[in-house]
Amino acid sequence: MFRLICGTESTWSLRAWMCAHLVGVQFEEQVIQLGAPGYKVELRKHSETGLVPVLDTVEIQIHDSLAIGEYLNELSGGILYPVDRWERARARSLCAELHSGFPVLREGCPFSSAGKGMMRQSAGMERELLRLEAIFTGARLPFMFDRAGMVDVFYAIMAYRLEGYDISLPGKAGEYQQSLLGWDMLKAAITRARGWENMT
């Protein structure tokens, strides 16, 4: 059985968790209470990078949510991406964009599984929201492509982050946002994240 090392209030841990559930792989959790006294020492025991998430397959440790998702996609025969080659390329591009982008939103709207927060206004927020709106508008509905996949996993956490700051995208983008917020997989992930917070 695989072991998934996760961190509390870690959006990337939640994405890895959702991908693992989406492909149906069996795994046990190792949860690190990020921010707790001595957490960095504890984290280093389980993660060679000192970061989460990490998927321990016994043979190797795979760190970084994007790499974990790609590994799980291969393991499952490709179900995390669309069948069509061009759509698959588009899906990978969107995942990579979220993985490396939207720094202003991350800074201005810190993630919390608990719910509402106070936005920190900063330059560039509108530009990043407009980019998200353009991405979300391209969704087929209820998912980005014909079936739930890694793109939906990655952007569902962003949709939840926005909701915590009462940010609702307009038009079709808003429909996709609400579809993600209503997705059982996201609801299960947020519930699990809250459970991690209550672990001792």
Side-chain angles (χ1 to χ4, degrees), residues 6-195:
C6 303
T8 52
E9 296 298 85
S10 163
T11 59
W12 299 112
S13 293
L14 287 178
R15 290 179 174 105
W17 188 94
M18 290 174 71
C19 283
H21 277 276
L22 202 55
V23 303
V25 71
Q26 296 294 310
F27 66 94
E28 60 183 26
E29 297 172 5
Q30 176 74 45
V31 181
I32 308 296
Q33 298 289 328
L34 301 182
Y39 84 93
K40 290 183 179 179
V41 174
E42 181 64 21
L43 187 52
R44 282 289 181 182
K45 296 177 184 177
H46 307 284
S47 169
E48 62 185 20
T49 64
L51 301 171
V52 288
V54 175
L55 183 66
D56 189 344
T57 72
V58 179
E59 290 85 3
I60 59 168
Q61 278 197 349
I62 305 166
H63 63 273
D64 193 283
S65 56
L66 190 56
I68 291 170
E70 290 287 353
Y71 174 79
L72 292 172
N73 182 64
E74 291 185 15
L75 192 68
S76 65
I79 69 172
L80 287 179
Y81 285 125
V83 174
D84 180 80
R85 180 175 60 177
W86 305 118
E87 290 185 351
R88 204 160 55 244
R90 169 72 172 159
R92 282 194 165 97
S93 178
L94 290 174
C95 287
E97 181 177 356
L98 181 64
H99 186 260
S100 62
F102 303 99
V104 178
L105 275 171
R106 296 182 204 283
E107 177 68 23
C109 303
F111 176 82
S112 172
S113 62
K116 302 297 181 181
M118 183 69 69
M119 184 190 305
R120 303 169 190 165
Q121 292 288 351
S122 57
M125 181 78 73
E126 183 177 357
R127 181 178 64 252
E128 290 190 1
L129 286 172
L130 285 172
R131 177 55 189 152
L132 270 182
E133 181 182 338
I135 292 171
F136 280 30
T137 298
R140 268 185 203 151
L141 299 178
F143 301 110
M144 181 62 71
F145 298 99
D146 290 332
R147 64 187 183 197
M150 202 155 122
V151 171
D152 306 293
V153 166
F154 272 42
Y155 283 91
I157 301 297
M158 178 61 81
Y160 183 83
R161 183 194 293 262
L162 296 181
E163 185 192 40
Y165 295 88
D166 294 320
I167 299 173
S168 297
L169 299 177
K172 190 180 177 185
E175 292 181 50
Y176 180 55
Q177 182 182 3
Q178 291 306 312
S179 179
L180 292 176
L181 291 172
W183 188 18
D184 287 343
M185 182 67 72
L186 175 63
K187 292 179 180 179
I190 297 302
T191 297
R192 194 71 196 103
R194 291 170 180 164

